[in-house]
Amino acid sequence: MPAQPAPHPLPYALRREQLVLAGIVFLACLAGILSRPKGFIAVIWPANALLLGLLLRDRLLAQRPLTWLLAFAAFAAADLATGASVSSALAMNASNLLGVAAGWAYLRHQGSSTLDFRRQHSVLHLLAGSTLAALGSAAPGTLASVHMFHSEAWPTLQRWFAGELFDMLVILPVVLAAPRGWPWHWQWKRLAQLLADAPRLPFMALLVSIGLVYVLNGPGAVGYLVPAMVWCAMSYGVWGTAVLTLLTCTAATAMLLATGVVGFSQRLVQEAVSFQIGIALISLAPITVSVAHQLRARTLRKLRFALNHDELTNALSRRTLMERGSRLVQRLALEGGRMAVLMADMDHFKHINDTYGHAQGDAVLRHFTTLVLHNLRAQDLFGRIGGEEFVLLLPDATAEQALAVAERINRQMREHPFGQRNGAALHATVSMGLCAADPLAPDDSLEKLLSQADAALYEAKHAGRDQVRRHMPVAA
């Protein structure tokens, strides 16, 4: 599937994607034709929803008239290949394309965050766009059917609209929420790992609920699916939920058709319309729950990050650093491990703020944080404990390793040019104090190590700044 709007580097790449799109539409039309009872509207017609979804994912394709022309050709070719007359193929598939255009005209104005289901109102826009697409296809399709096949206008309009709304609401979310790119661009190993790690119980509950639909059936049988679908929505993300919703709604429809609970004959138009619209709207429930669950999880992650990190630099906050650092020291002390502590302080930081402005001073602090994080390992801790003071905790690091890290950070900071004033570049420097416990003693604490690193930092400041000094324990 095409990626979010991106320039195609070569004309043939665009042509290839247009042809692939037309091929998908052609195959989807054949699938719909196979579900079409003789002389009646198809039970399921995936082509329109697939085409609309793919055009929304790649706006550049949609902006090329040739794309629409090829899509129409694919619609007509499928009908002609299965025995339809030329006039019927042209009229009916013009209706299909008009429906896609109606949905496109509305949904194209929605932002990528809405179409990617990263907004709570995404489902409402999906419903509005799908309704317009269904009406845009059903109205001209009904006129063509009345004129060419002498169909009854009102029943035909109802059936066409209900079928198209069902297709849009169960298929469009799958296309829009799918991973970026065409399927051959997807990271299949990662998707397979996510599938292997996914919880099994919600899916098993869904299978049981589908079985209940078949065994108990009845007009309200689709309601048996809702609890399990909501459980899946909280477990599998928006795309996984959309895929399961499509499969579940399609399976339930097929089973209720097979058992005769619902039918698509002319005498059961009201029942069929009611069923299709009902199950289409039910399909929105798990998508809505999944979006809300996803947004809640994202908000909680942001809140936790804000609580644990310094607002300006994104280094750990003093409280979080002390809590995590204390637990780390206690664990390493019990294991007989080692710990190196670096305390860093910006040189002449008040002068930088007074001379270059606080905005430039903030830029210096942010750059220092970025520089440090690029030099640390995943297990290291780094936090801001004061205005221009920072602490680095390096578990399982020797004094020599920590000294090498400190001197590299010190050099990189010294060599980085910041803003200029009167033609002179600003070069900020940092002083550091190092304390290394190898191994940690049972009575060592983070406060004790920080005190020793702070004493070494004091020595570095008094020795001229822009250097690293190590705390040397006094011999007994």
Side-chain angles (χ1 to χ4, degrees):
M1 297 178 185
Q4 201 62 9
H8 293 268
L10 295 173
Y12 73 80
L14 177 60
R15 296 290 180 267
R16 181 186 60 199
E17 293 191 1
Q18 288 173 324
L19 291 173
V20 170
L21 184 69
I24 291 173
V25 171
F26 177 77
L27 294 176
C29 288
L30 292 180
I33 291 170
L34 291 176
S35 74
R36 180 189 294 164
K38 185 175 181 181
F40 205 58
I41 299 171
V43 174
I44 185 168
W45 186 261
N48 295 7
L50 282 172
L51 176 59
L52 177 56
L54 293 174
L55 293 177
L56 289 169
R57 283 171 60 101
D58 192 332
R59 306 296 178 88
L60 183 60
L61 277 177
Q63 292 166 5
R64 302 302 175 98
L66 181 60
T67 302
W68 294 87
L69 182 61
L70 288 173
F72 180 71
F75 275 118
D79 260 347
L80 292 173
T82 52
S85 65
V86 173
S87 58
S88 171
L90 294 178
M92 291 302 183
N93 291 300
S95 302
N96 288 324
L97 208 62
L98 286 172
V100 173
W104 161 259
Y106 175 81
L107 292 172
R108 67 187 291 263
H109 296 294
Q110 310 310 316
S112 60
S113 58
T114 298
L115 296 181
D116 290 344
F117 297 97
R118 288 182 280 122
R119 293 287 183 271
Q120 188 63 63
H121 56 247
S122 294
V123 175
L124 294 178
H125 286 293
L126 172 69
L127 175 59
S130 298
T131 302
L132 288 173
L135 284 172
S137 176
T142 298
L143 291 176
S145 295
V146 170
H147 176 72
M148 301 181 69
F149 307 117
H150 307 292
S151 303
E152 294 183 48
W154 180 237
T156 301
L157 179 64
Q158 292 182 81
R159 279 295 319 281
W160 196 309
F161 172 78
E164 189 66 16
L165 184 65
F166 173 86
D167 297 336
M168 286 288 172
L169 291 181
V170 300
I171 296 173
L172 199 52
V174 176
V175 183
L176 294 178
R180 299 297 91 188
W182 295 92
W184 52 86
H185 296 145
W186 294 355
Q187 298 178 10
W188 285 102
K189 289 185 178 179
R190 181 173 178 273
L191 291 175
Q193 187 60 50
L194 290 174
L195 182 62
D197 295 340
R200 303 288 194 276
L201 284 178
F203 181 68
M204 294 173 63
L206 186 61
L207 292 179
V208 171
S209 67
I210 293 174
L212 289 175
V213 171
Y214 181 76
V215 173
L216 302 178
N217 57 62
V222 291
Y224 306 151
L225 303 170
V226 174
M229 290 172 71
V230 170
W231 191 7
C232 290
M234 295 187 291
S235 306
Y236 301 134
V238 176
W239 188 49
T241 300
V243 172
L244 289 176
T245 300
L246 168 63
L247 297 176
T248 301
C249 290
T250 304
T253 301
M255 285 188 295
L256 294 176
L257 277 170
T259 55
V261 175
V262 295
F264 291 95
S265 64
Q266 290 285 8
R267 62 184 181 85
L268 297 175
V269 168
Q270 293 298 331
E271 290 83 350
V273 167
S274 175
F275 173 78
Q276 281 197 300
I277 292 180
I279 199 170
L281 295 178
I282 285 175
S283 74
L284 292 178
I287 302 294
T288 303
V289 171
S290 184
V291 171
H293 188 72
Q294 176 179 273
L295 292 176
R296 175 181 176 274
R298 185 181 301 133
T299 301
L300 289 176
R301 285 195 300 269
K302 290 180 178 179
L303 179 60
R304 282 194 292 267
F305 187 89
L307 290 173
N308 294 328
H309 292 78
D310 172 61
E311 182 180 4
L312 175 64
T313 64
N314 285 339
L316 292 176
S317 66
R318 180 188 181 95
R319 177 185 58 81
T320 302
L321 178 74
M322 297 300 292
E323 289 177 356
R324 296 183 184 180
S326 296
R327 291 196 298 267
L328 182 60
V329 170
Q330 291 173 6
R331 178 177 64 81
L332 290 174
L334 291 174
E335 296 173 354
R338 57 195 174 204
M339 167 76 81
V341 177
L342 288 167
M343 184 170 285
D345 185 88
M346 293 293 155
D347 295 329
H348 305 296
F349 190 69
K350 183 177 184 303
H351 174 73
I352 292 175
N353 277 335
D354 292 343
T355 305
Y356 294 88
H358 287 275
Q360 185 63 69
D362 291 347
V364 170
L365 296 179
R366 285 193 293 267
H367 174 75
F368 177 71
T369 299
T370 301
L371 189 154
V372 170
L373 292 175
H374 283 162
N375 282 278
L376 296 187
R377 305 164 298 175
Q379 65 267 35
D380 298 333
L381 297 178
F382 171 62
R384 184 185 182 193
I385 61 171
E388 65 269 21
E389 292 184 323
F390 297 84
V391 168
L392 295 79
L393 304 181
L394 312 178
D396 299 316
T398 64
E400 290 74 19
Q401 290 170 332
L403 184 61
V405 170
E407 290 180 340
R408 183 166 61 249
I409 293 171
N410 187 277
R411 184 186 69 254
Q412 292 173 350
M413 191 69 184
R414 183 190 313 122
E415 295 173 351
H416 181 79
F418 290 92
Q420 294 191 354
R421 184 180 179 86
N422 299 326
L426 165 63
H427 287 271
T429 60
V430 61
S431 299
M432 294 191 190
L434 166 63
C435 166
D438 187 4
L440 282 162
D443 62 339
D444 280 334
S445 66
L446 179 60
E447 289 77 8
K448 176 182 176 180
L449 297 176
L450 288 174
S451 176
Q452 294 173 351
D454 188 47
L457 173 62
Y458 182 81
E459 294 178 14
K461 290 283 188 181
H462 275 262
R465 295 182 170 83
D466 188 21
Q467 57 187 283
V468 184
R469 285 297 177 95
R470 178 184 174 188
H471 171 77
M472 301 302 295
V474 180

